Amino acid sequence: MTLYRLAAAPAAAGLALAGYRDAFFAVIVISLLSDLLDGPIARWLKQESSDGAWLDTIADGGTVLAGLLGVYLFEGDSIRPDMAWLLAFLASYAGAAGLSLIKFGGLPAFHLYTSKLAAVGSGVFFVWLFVLGYSQAVFIAAICLGIVANAESMLVSLLIRSLRTDIHSVFRLVRTEEDRGA
């Protein structure tokens, strides 16, 4: 499923650039649904791995960027009055990725619960936007969830000394001996 999402992100971006709204929407919705399912299925099949976690993070980023491109191209006029919210999200997203890249040389693959909640929120917004039309309240709620998830990712990056996957929550963070400076 992660490999599908890795291939689907550039395909969705291409569909958006070519103006195929319905096909773009379908590819992104399938990507969002497969993102919800791939982790539980990997755990159920006992096929989870740190490489899979990193690939999942890259696929997530590609899906976010392709989704934002399509939203901008197809619904840009709708969200333009609230663009500051989107820019705040993008700044927090870049901050979380940038901090991890600077500190560890790699993207965070923490799979935080807040990130999962933010993904569901963005999926709800995406479907709402393309099916029912723009809702400022749904948009701002999704953006705020994303900003909270990115803030938690930054906090985790600041608290740990070496990059690792599947931390789930800053509150459940079990600091290793290396993190404690031992």
Side-chain angles (χ1 to χ4, degrees):
M1 285 190 211
T2 299
L3 293 177
Y4 160 79
R5 289 186 309 111
L6 287 168
L15 291 167
L17 289 168
Y20 294 107
R21 185 182 196 276
D22 293 342
F24 161 78
F25 175 75
V27 169
I28 293 293
V29 167
I30 292 168
S31 292
L32 293 171
L33 291 173
S34 69
D35 186 32
L36 290 175
L37 298 174
D38 69 346
I41 289 173
R43 283 186 289 283
W44 181 61
L45 295 173
K46 299 188 184 339
Q47 293 183 346
E48 51 194 329
S49 69
S50 61
D51 288 343
W54 301 118
L55 286 175
D56 182 65
T57 295
I58 293 167
D60 290 347
T63 301
V64 167
L65 294 175
L68 288 173
L69 174 65
V71 166
Y72 177 78
L73 292 174
F74 295 121
E75 301 291 337
D77 290 340
S78 299
I79 66 168
R80 195 159 284 112
D82 297 313
M83 191 60 75
W85 287 98
L86 181 59
L87 294 175
F89 166 76
L90 289 172
S92 71
Y93 192 76
L99 176 60
S100 182
L101 283 168
I102 290 166
K103 186 171 179 181
F104 305 117
L107 293 171
F110 304 138
H111 294 101
L112 301 169
Y113 295 133
T114 54
S115 296
K116 294 174 192 306
L117 183 61
V120 170
S122 66
V124 168
F125 166 72
F126 185 82
V127 171
W128 191 298
L129 176 65
F130 279 81
V131 174
L132 300 173
Y134 181 69
S135 166
Q136 183 185 43
V138 175
F139 176 70
I140 292 172
I143 290 292
C144 288
L145 286 172
I147 291 170
V148 167
N150 293 330
E152 184 179 19
S153 179
M154 286 186 264
L155 183 58
V156 168
S157 287
L158 291 170
L159 291 173
I160 61 176
R161 289 194 182 193
S162 61
L163 191 58
R164 56 187 200 265
T165 62
D166 299 323
I167 291 175
H168 303 297
S169 170
V170 71
F171 300 109
R172 291 184 55 194
L173 179 63
V174 176
R175 297 179 67 187
T176 64
E177 287 182 27
E178 181 184 342
D179 291 333
R180 291 189 295 268

